[in-house]
Amino acid sequence: NNDTSALSILVFKVPVAVKLDASQSAAVWEYYVSMWDWSEAVIWLIAVSLVAAGAYFATTDIQPQSSMLAQLAPQAEEVLEIDNTFAFSFVAMGSVVLVML
């Protein structure tokens, strides 16, 4: 095929033909996956920081009363005790919501 206005691109092992006007151009290059990506490092840092902060603040009620975080701890009557019924209903309702999504 000597037609220079047609461009054939291999997409997922399936050739795709694209017709280009005289005013259009296309560039195709191979995608190289790098082993290190800064955005991935930032996402990991945020995720690990949130898990560590959650674990630290979740245990404020068992910290010594002299610590500054003890002021953030909920009072004893504000702490919700979770029984088996609440745990199973939480899992069931969460599963229903995920199925609906």
Side-chain angles (χ1 to χ4, degrees):
N1 191 1
N2 291 335
D3 187 10
T4 58
S5 65
L7 177 65
S8 179
I9 303 172
L10 185 67
V11 178
F12 294 113
K13 306 284 183 183
V14 177
V16 176
V18 178
K19 292 285 187 179
L20 297 176
D21 295 336
S23 63
Q24 296 175 330
S25 65
V28 179
W29 59 90
E30 186 176 352
Y31 177 72
Y32 295 103
V33 178
S34 66
M35 293 300 293
W36 183 253
D37 189 9
W38 286 106
S39 61
E40 188 174 339
V42 169
I43 289 173
W44 272 93
L45 182 66
I46 290 172
V48 170
S49 300
L50 287 175
V51 169
Y56 186 69
F57 285 111
T59 59
T60 55
D61 57 339
I62 59 174
Q63 297 288 334
Q65 293 299 323
S66 61
S67 78
M68 291 178 55
L69 276 178
Q71 297 174 356
L72 295 174
Q75 302 300 324
E77 60 269 2
E78 294 178 2
V79 176
L80 177 65
E81 189 172 326
I82 299 175
D83 59 346
N84 288 340
T85 307
F86 182 78
F88 287 125
S89 63
F90 184 79
V91 170
M93 291 305 294
S95 298
V96 168
V97 169
L98 286 175
V99 167
M100 287 177 21
L101 287 176

Short mmCIF file of all heavy atoms in Angstrom, two decimals, residues 53 55-74:
data_model
loop_
_atom_site.label_atom_id
_atom_site.label_comp_id
_atom_site.label_asym_id
_atom_site.label_seq_id
_atom_site.Cartn_x
_atom_site.Cartn_y
_atom_site.Cartn_z
N ALA A 53 -0.41 6.76 61.44
CA ALA A 53 -1.14 7.76 62.23
C ALA A 53 -2.43 7.18 62.78
O ALA A 53 -2.80 7.44 63.93
CB ALA A 53 -1.44 8.99 61.37
N ALA A 55 -3.01 4.02 63.53
CA ALA A 55 -2.67 3.11 64.62
C ALA A 55 -2.27 3.88 65.88
O ALA A 55 -2.62 3.50 66.99
CB ALA A 55 -1.54 2.19 64.19
N TYR A 56 -1.57 4.97 65.70
CA TYR A 56 -1.13 5.76 66.86
C TYR A 56 -2.30 6.46 67.54
O TYR A 56 -2.44 6.41 68.76
CB TYR A 56 -0.09 6.79 66.40
CG TYR A 56 0.54 7.54 67.54
CD1 TYR A 56 1.40 6.89 68.43
CD2 TYR A 56 0.28 8.89 67.73
CE1 TYR A 56 1.98 7.58 69.48
CE2 TYR A 56 0.84 9.58 68.78
CZ TYR A 56 1.70 8.92 69.64
OH TYR A 56 2.26 9.60 70.68
N PHE A 57 -3.18 7.08 66.75
CA PHE A 57 -4.31 7.80 67.34
C PHE A 57 -5.40 6.86 67.83
O PHE A 57 -6.17 7.22 68.71
CB PHE A 57 -4.89 8.81 66.35
CG PHE A 57 -4.04 10.02 66.20
CD1 PHE A 57 -3.35 10.27 65.02
CD2 PHE A 57 -3.90 10.94 67.23
CE1 PHE A 57 -2.55 11.39 64.88
CE2 PHE A 57 -3.11 12.06 67.10
CZ PHE A 57 -2.44 12.29 65.92
N ALA A 58 -5.48 5.66 67.26
CA ALA A 58 -6.49 4.71 67.72
C ALA A 58 -6.18 4.17 69.10
O ALA A 58 -7.07 3.69 69.81
CB ALA A 58 -6.61 3.56 66.74
N THR A 59 -4.92 4.25 69.50
CA THR A 59 -4.53 3.73 70.82
C THR A 59 -4.36 4.83 71.85
O THR A 59 -3.73 4.62 72.88
CB THR A 59 -3.22 2.93 70.70
OG1 THR A 59 -2.20 3.79 70.17
CG2 THR A 59 -3.40 1.72 69.81
N THR A 60 -4.95 5.99 71.62
CA THR A 60 -4.79 7.07 72.59
C THR A 60 -5.49 6.77 73.91
O THR A 60 -5.09 7.30 74.94
CB THR A 60 -5.35 8.40 72.03
OG1 THR A 60 -6.70 8.20 71.64
CG2 THR A 60 -4.52 8.89 70.88
N ASP A 61 -6.50 5.91 73.89
CA ASP A 61 -7.19 5.60 75.14
C ASP A 61 -6.37 4.71 76.06
O ASP A 61 -6.65 4.64 77.25
CB ASP A 61 -8.55 4.97 74.86
CG ASP A 61 -8.47 3.72 74.03
OD1 ASP A 61 -7.45 3.55 73.33
OD2 ASP A 61 -9.43 2.92 74.06
N ILE A 62 -5.35 4.04 75.54
CA ILE A 62 -4.52 3.21 76.40
C ILE A 62 -3.14 3.83 76.65
O ILE A 62 -2.30 3.21 77.28
CB ILE A 62 -4.35 1.78 75.81
CG1 ILE A 62 -3.72 1.81 74.42
CG2 ILE A 62 -5.69 1.07 75.78
CD1 ILE A 62 -3.40 0.44 73.87
N GLN A 63 -2.93 5.05 76.17
CA GLN A 63 -1.69 5.77 76.45
C GLN A 63 -1.70 6.23 77.90
O GLN A 63 -2.75 6.42 78.50
CB GLN A 63 -1.55 6.98 75.52
CG GLN A 63 -1.44 6.65 74.05
CD GLN A 63 -0.12 6.03 73.68
OE1 GLN A 63 0.88 6.24 74.34
NE2 GLN A 63 -0.13 5.25 72.61
N PRO A 64 -0.54 6.47 78.48
CA PRO A 64 -0.51 7.02 79.84
C PRO A 64 -1.21 8.38 79.88
O PRO A 64 -1.16 9.16 78.93
CB PRO A 64 0.98 7.17 80.14
CG PRO A 64 1.68 6.31 79.15
CD PRO A 64 0.78 6.19 77.96
N GLN A 65 -1.86 8.67 80.98
CA GLN A 65 -2.63 9.91 81.10
C GLN A 65 -1.75 11.15 81.09
O GLN A 65 -2.23 12.25 80.89
CB GLN A 65 -3.47 9.88 82.39
CG GLN A 65 -4.56 8.83 82.35
CD GLN A 65 -5.54 9.05 81.22
OE1 GLN A 65 -5.89 10.17 80.89
NE2 GLN A 65 -5.98 7.96 80.61
N SER A 66 -0.47 10.98 81.28
CA SER A 66 0.42 12.14 81.29
C SER A 66 0.76 12.62 79.88
O SER A 66 1.29 13.72 79.73
CB SER A 66 1.71 11.80 82.04
OG SER A 66 2.37 10.74 81.38
N SER A 67 0.47 11.81 78.87
CA SER A 67 0.83 12.22 77.52
C SER A 67 -0.15 13.26 77.00
O SER A 67 -1.28 13.38 77.44
CB SER A 67 0.86 11.01 76.58
OG SER A 67 -0.44 10.65 76.22
N MET A 68 0.32 14.04 76.04
CA MET A 68 -0.53 15.08 75.45
C MET A 68 -1.65 14.47 74.63
O MET A 68 -2.71 15.06 74.47
CB MET A 68 0.31 16.03 74.61
CG MET A 68 1.26 16.88 75.43
SD MET A 68 2.30 17.96 74.45
CE MET A 68 1.13 18.86 73.50
N LEU A 69 -1.44 13.27 74.08
CA LEU A 69 -2.47 12.63 73.29
C LEU A 69 -3.61 12.09 74.14
O LEU A 69 -4.69 11.81 73.63
CB LEU A 69 -1.88 11.48 72.48
CG LEU A 69 -1.25 11.89 71.16
CD1 LEU A 69 -0.65 10.68 70.48
CD2 LEU A 69 -2.25 12.55 70.27
N ALA A 70 -3.39 11.96 75.45
CA ALA A 70 -4.45 11.46 76.32
C ALA A 70 -5.64 12.42 76.33
O ALA A 70 -6.77 12.01 76.59
CB ALA A 70 -3.92 11.26 77.72
N GLN A 71 -5.41 13.68 76.03
CA GLN A 71 -6.50 14.65 75.96
C GLN A 71 -7.39 14.38 74.75
O GLN A 71 -8.57 14.74 74.75
CB GLN A 71 -5.95 16.06 75.90
CG GLN A 71 -5.18 16.44 77.15
CD GLN A 71 -4.51 17.80 77.03
OE1 GLN A 71 -4.57 18.42 75.97
NE2 GLN A 71 -3.89 18.25 78.09
N LEU A 72 -6.85 13.76 73.71
CA LEU A 72 -7.64 13.42 72.53
C LEU A 72 -8.43 12.13 72.71
O LEU A 72 -9.34 11.85 71.93
CB LEU A 72 -6.73 13.27 71.31
CG LEU A 72 -6.01 14.53 70.84
CD1 LEU A 72 -5.06 14.16 69.72
CD2 LEU A 72 -7.00 15.57 70.37
N ALA A 73 -8.07 11.34 73.70
CA ALA A 73 -8.71 10.05 73.89
C ALA A 73 -10.17 10.23 74.28
O ALA A 73 -10.52 11.14 75.04
CB ALA A 73 -7.97 9.26 74.97
N PRO A 74 -11.03 9.38 73.77
CA PRO A 74 -12.44 9.48 74.15
C PRO A 74 -12.64 9.07 75.60
O PRO A 74 -11.88 8.27 76.14
CB PRO A 74 -13.14 8.50 73.20
CG PRO A 74 -12.08 7.56 72.77
CD PRO A 74 -10.79 8.32 72.81
#
